[in-house]
Amino acid sequence: DSGVTQTPKHLITATGQRVTLRCSPRSGDLSVYWYQQSLDQGLQFLIQYYNGEERAKGNILERFSAQQFPDLHSELNLSSLELGDSALYFCASSVDAGAVDGYTFGSGTRLTVV
Amino acid sequence: DAKTTQPTSMDCAEGRAANLPCNHSTISGNEYVYWYRQIHSQGPQYIIHGLKNNETNEMASLIITEDRKSSTLILPHATLRDTAVYYCIARLYSTASKLTFGTGTRLQVTL
């Protein structure tokens, strides 16, 4: 157990729907990162939050949004889902925004869009 | 962040040392070298990182050449559980931080 908790572990939904993925960072970590891993794209950085504020953005689609709440948990919202959004979504956390000592990843949410 | 180049795949016999090379010839003086691994669809796992000096922890050793253009991750006694994709990443320290993962090296540890 890495200490980063992601729920749900599996999610199956239909095209056009909206889902919310949740991440609780490791205790004491203030920064949260979201990554998408699909078969043909590898691990892609989506977005970083630090203590509730957005810090860095990757190639995140406009249909996707995220936020970090005062209790430091984070949610990734995916809307108007397409078949191509099927992927593993990983959350990671670090003590600070610089993450010199690396990230701790959760076990991921497997999203299947049918 | 500097581009890194790794072999696509490697094999290693169980109990032997696994030496995973990484080339980062364009790395700048203040870019760190990080190693992560991903065991089949699990979340990536941090292994080790370094800037200039060689580093060792309970998982592995990191050897960085003097010119910093390449590095080697050493797993001293590989086990079957070390079978994974290993990612070498060069990253400039920033508080707007992201790790850019490449395709990595698929290490297969065999009996």
Side-chain angles (χ1 to χ4, degrees), chain A residues 1-111:
Chain A
D1 181 8
S2 68
V4 177
T5 304
Q6 290 189 247
T7 56
K9 291 194 184 308
H10 302 276
L11 197 48
I12 302 175
T13 191
T15 54
Q17 294 299 304
R18 172 189 170 94
V19 297
T20 298
L21 312 184
R22 182 187 168 102
C23 170
S24 294
R26 197 178 54 165
S27 178
D29 286 358
L30 298 178
S31 201
V32 169
Y33 313 80
W34 286 97
Y35 280 79
Q36 179 192 55
Q37 185 173 35
S38 54
L39 280 174
D40 58 347
Q41 291 289 327
L43 277 157
Q44 299 288 317
F45 170 74
L46 296 178
I47 199 162
Q48 175 201 7
Y49 281 85
Y50 173 72
N51 207 19
E53 294 185 0
E54 182 183 306
R55 275 298 178 101
K57 216 166 186 176
N59 296 323
I60 186 168
L61 300 173
E62 284 191 12
R63 300 182 287 108
F64 295 3
S65 65
Q67 56 183 325
Q68 186 180 27
F69 294 86
D71 67 353
L72 302 177
H73 91 272
S74 178
E75 292 181 357
L76 179 67
N77 299 296
L78 315 175
S79 61
S80 303
L81 285 166
E82 302 174 359
L83 296 177
D85 297 327
S86 295
L88 274 166
Y89 290 84
F90 291 107
C91 169
S93 68
S94 64
V95 170
D96 57 23
V100 170
D101 293 328
Y103 300 178
T104 301
F105 280 82
S107 57
T109 293
R110 182 177 294 278
L111 173 67

Side-chain angles (χ1 to χ4, degrees), chain A residues 33 35 37 43 45 48 55-56 58 88 90 96-103 105-107 110, chain B residues 32 34 36 38 41-46 49 87 91 93-102:
Chain A
Y33 313 80
Y35 280 79
Q37 185 173 35
L43 277 157
F45 170 74
Q48 175 201 7
R55 275 298 178 101
L88 274 166
F90 291 107
D96 57 23
V100 170
D101 293 328
Y103 300 178
F105 280 82
S107 57
R110 182 177 294 278
Chain B
Y32 290 83
Y34 285 84
Y36 283 76
Q38 186 174 24
S41 296
Q42 296 179 21
Q45 179 187 24
Y46 165 82
H49 76 279
Y87 298 97
R91 177 183 161 250
Y93 176 83
S94 168
T95 56
S97 164
K98 67 174 183 179
L99 284 173
T100 301
F101 288 82

